[in-house]
Amino acid sequence: MSLFKKTLIKKNYKYKLLDDGISKEDISKAKNVLNSKQITMASQTRKFEETFAKKMGVKHALMVNSGSSANLLAIFAAGNPLRKNKLKKGDEVIIPVLCWSTSLWPLVQFGLKPVFIDIDPNTLNVNEDDLIKKINSRTKCIFLVNVHGNSCDLFKIRKIAKKKKIILIEDNCESLGSKLKNKHLGTFGDFGTFSFFYSHQITSGEGGMIVCNNDNDYEILFALRSHGWLGGTRFYPRRLKSYNYYAKKYPSLDPRYIFVNSGFNLRPTDIQAAIGLNQFKRLNKLILNRKQNRKLIIETLKKDRRWENQFQFIEPSKNINPSWMGLPIIIAKKYKKQKMKFLSYLDAKGIETRPIISGAFTNQPATKLYNLNPTKRKFNSAQSVQELGFLIGLHQNKISKDNLNLIKDSFLNIEKI
Ligand SMILES: Cc1ncc(COP(=O)(O)O)c(C=O)c1O
């Protein structure tokens, strides 16, 4: 704990998780929204959703205020009374143990039973064959997490899920822009979710998106996002197909204020949408820059005479064209004991680090609070990723020589820590 005391107040890292992520143009787009005084969800949100759906090759995209909200919506839509094939309380859901907190909690909040599976430490993602072996008659949903731009063979998983009528959800919050055989990750399942939080492929500060191809699912998501409200908000330029149906059926209600489902308020602001949309337009360039920075960092380390395989880097899975979020790094086993000291050293040198997602999530105290691993199962691969892994950022702009040297000299000093 004390090793990282300074991190809480220290903001002046030389190499941050994300640097200069918001452009002048992004700021000007945000200012335009402020000047228009139409801050709540409206035309910018709709425009971003349309542009996003088109590029991803899906029928519907719905913007929300975070990736966590997108996950919450995916689960509550998958279990909604308006859905034919729906999740019920107590149903089992397969989820990788290397997940983010809010990949998991919507399952628990809905009353589902998470069944954790281990990962492949070489890809950080589940192995499709291992996953398929875990499917049984109680499995009603597979909630995949595409970790750091990578995925398993989603074609294979999708085929089995379809055959067995298992709902497939992809938490793609870390992998916007990655493609498997030219198909975007996040578009394989019934629902796919995305995050635009700081240091993700694009950022709107806070923000997220959920995609689907089914009209009925979209109507459910639309209502759940905004109070269960048929009309969304008055400023949002889109009506549901069912609008006329409900307006006719309930003539005594003001048609603008009909509530057709349960609901949350997970709406983004138009400021977030304007920034997100502007970033999304340059996604291809950002992906390329991150790829080049990754290559530069790895080459610089490997070319140095002090390189002795002190670190391992995660490579793309088969047929993946990756869109990296950060640079996950696994240190050699012999340095396991000094990992925290090493991270603290990097911190002091001005290099910001973080864990790979949050390690094996069953190690987190919150899962004990809800008794989510009653048999105390061990997940050896995720455990080793937690013990040996950490992450540094990949920036949207080309990495400077100074930062490359800083990383090289600090990393290759690991022996002396
Ligand atoms: C896999 C995964 N799912 C969900 C989220 C939550 O996204 P947000 O921070 O936008 O709520 C994150 C956040 O980084 C994530 O890594």
Side-chain angles (χ1 to χ4, degrees):
M1 248 313 255
S2 56
L3 288 175
F4 291 96
K5 239 180 192 164
K6 276 189 187 159
T7 316
L8 300 175
I9 44 165
K10 193 167 129 186
K11 292 272 191 287
N12 54 342
Y13 285 111
K14 290 181 190 139
Y15 190 78
K16 301 179 192 169
L17 288 180
L18 178 73
D19 198 24
D20 211 10
I22 307 275
S23 73
K24 277 195 184 127
E25 201 187 37
D26 296 337
I27 292 169
S28 126
K29 298 282 179 190
K31 275 188 186 161
N32 290 347
V33 175
L34 271 170
N35 286 333
S36 77
K37 299 186 180 157
Q38 177 52 61
I39 291 168
T40 56
M41 180 179 87
S43 61
Q44 289 299 312
T45 304
R46 188 64 205 134
K47 208 167 152 193
F48 187 14
E49 291 169 342
E50 281 169 344
T51 314
F52 196 90
K54 203 166 164 202
K55 177 152 172 131
M56 290 290 128
V58 289
K59 198 157 176 198
H60 302 291
L62 190 108
M63 190 179 177
V64 282
N65 54 10
S66 71
S68 305
S69 299
N71 284 345
L72 189 69
L73 273 192
I75 289 295
F76 277 77
N80 198 264
L82 285 182
R83 211 172 192 260
K84 257 195 212 142
N85 177 23
K86 53 181 165 287
L87 296 175
K88 293 188 293 301
K89 281 190 172 56
D91 281 348
E92 289 191 3
V93 182
I94 294 180
I95 180 169
V97 73
L98 192 72
C99 64
W100 183 246
S101 119
T102 49
S103 314
L104 171 69
W105 292 115
L107 314 187
V108 180
Q109 285 151 351
F110 187 86
L112 301 165
K113 185 171 176 235
V115 176
F116 294 105
I117 60 165
D118 208 352
I119 48 126
D120 173 349
N122 296 312
T123 66
L124 301 180
N125 281 260
V126 295
N127 172 290
E128 56 279 354
D129 296 322
D130 287 351
L131 187 147
I132 288 164
K133 278 189 218 142
K134 292 280 178 331
I135 294 175
N136 62 37
S137 59
R138 295 183 303 280
T139 310
K140 301 296 176 209
C141 176
I142 298 171
F143 190 99
L144 282 177
V145 182
N146 300 327
V147 178
H148 282 294
N150 240 344
S151 81
C152 60
D153 185 348
L154 287 159
F155 287 104
K156 210 166 171 182
I157 303 262
R158 180 169 70 164
K159 202 166 156 198
I160 300 256
K162 267 202 176 140
K163 196 168 141 209
K164 296 188 180 277
K165 295 202 167 48
I166 293 172
I167 296 170
L168 177 61
I169 299 173
E170 272 177 274
D171 177 343
N172 200 48
C173 286
E174 300 195 341
S175 301
L176 168 66
S178 278
K179 288 181 184 169
L180 174 61
K181 285 193 190 158
N182 226 18
K183 182 169 170 55
H184 276 283
L185 297 191
T187 66
F188 284 80
D190 297 62
F191 301 100
T193 64
F194 299 81
S195 165
F196 312 134
F197 185 61
Y198 165 87
S199 88
H200 286 233
Q201 283 83 353
I202 63 168
T203 182
S204 55
E206 298 276 7
M209 196 74 82
I210 178 162
V211 301
C212 68
N213 279 310
N214 179 289
D215 292 349
N216 188 49
D217 283 341
Y218 175 70
E219 300 232 339
I220 296 169
L221 293 173
F222 185 99
L224 292 185
R225 169 177 67 176
S226 184
H227 306 176
W229 199 351
L230 181 62
T233 77
R234 277 171 297 149
F235 311 110
Y236 180 72
R238 183 169 171 86
R239 269 186 183 170
L240 290 180
K241 273 192 191 156
S242 53
Y243 187 90
N244 290 338
Y245 163 81
Y246 282 112
K248 235 184 188 170
K249 192 160 178 202
Y250 296 91
S252 66
L253 294 175
D254 179 335
R256 295 167 307 168
Y257 285 81
I258 296 180
F259 295 85
V260 293
N261 215 317
S262 76
F264 306 100
N265 180 355
L266 308 175
R267 298 182 308 237
T269 64
D270 246 23
I271 302 173
Q272 289 161 292
I275 298 172
L277 173 61
N278 203 48
Q279 295 231 344
F280 188 65
K281 285 182 180 161
R282 56 179 198 274
L283 178 64
N284 290 349
K285 178 86 186 117
L286 300 181
I287 292 174
L288 195 69
N289 287 353
R290 283 177 184 239
K291 264 189 184 152
Q292 283 171 347
N293 285 337
R294 176 181 181 277
K295 194 162 171 262
L296 270 173
I297 293 172
I298 295 176
E299 274 178 7
T300 305
L301 284 166
K302 288 192 170 177
K303 267 192 208 152
D304 195 273
R305 64 181 162 75
R306 291 166 289 176
W307 175 256
E308 284 173 359
N309 296 310
Q310 294 95 326
F311 306 97
Q312 180 206 328
F313 304 99
I314 304 298
E315 296 300 327
S317 311
K318 197 169 160 207
N319 297 320
I320 284 280
N321 184 359
S323 163
W324 302 113
M325 182 171 126
L327 181 56
I329 295 163
I330 311 289
I331 59 173
K333 266 198 190 124
K334 62 176 174 177
Y335 302 117
K336 185 168 149 183
K337 279 204 184 123
Q338 68 219 64
K339 184 189 135 190
M340 281 305 174
K341 221 169 149 201
F342 176 60
L343 295 191
S344 158
Y345 167 76
L346 294 184
D347 197 71
K349 283 279 174 192
I351 300 172
E352 191 176 12
T353 66
R354 55 157 294 165
I356 296 176
I357 314 204
S358 42
F361 205 78
T362 41
N363 290 333
Q364 297 290 349
T367 57
K368 299 195 175 64
L369 196 62
Y370 287 84
N371 197 22
L372 297 184
N373 186 19
T375 57
K376 302 209 169 13
R377 261 189 68 203
K378 296 256 180 278
F379 301 92
N380 294 337
S381 301
Q383 186 69 30
S384 96
V385 166
Q386 175 175 326
E387 285 167 4
L388 300 171
F390 70 99
L391 186 111
I392 60 169
L394 282 179
H395 296 173
Q396 297 187 346
N397 304 310
K398 193 176 171 196
I399 184 168
S400 68
K401 267 241 146 44
D402 281 353
N403 271 336
L404 264 181
N405 285 332
L406 176 70
I407 291 171
K408 180 181 70 177
D409 291 330
S410 315
F411 273 48
L412 296 178
N413 215 11
I414 186 165
E415 241 116 327
K416 301 199 182 105
I417 307 305

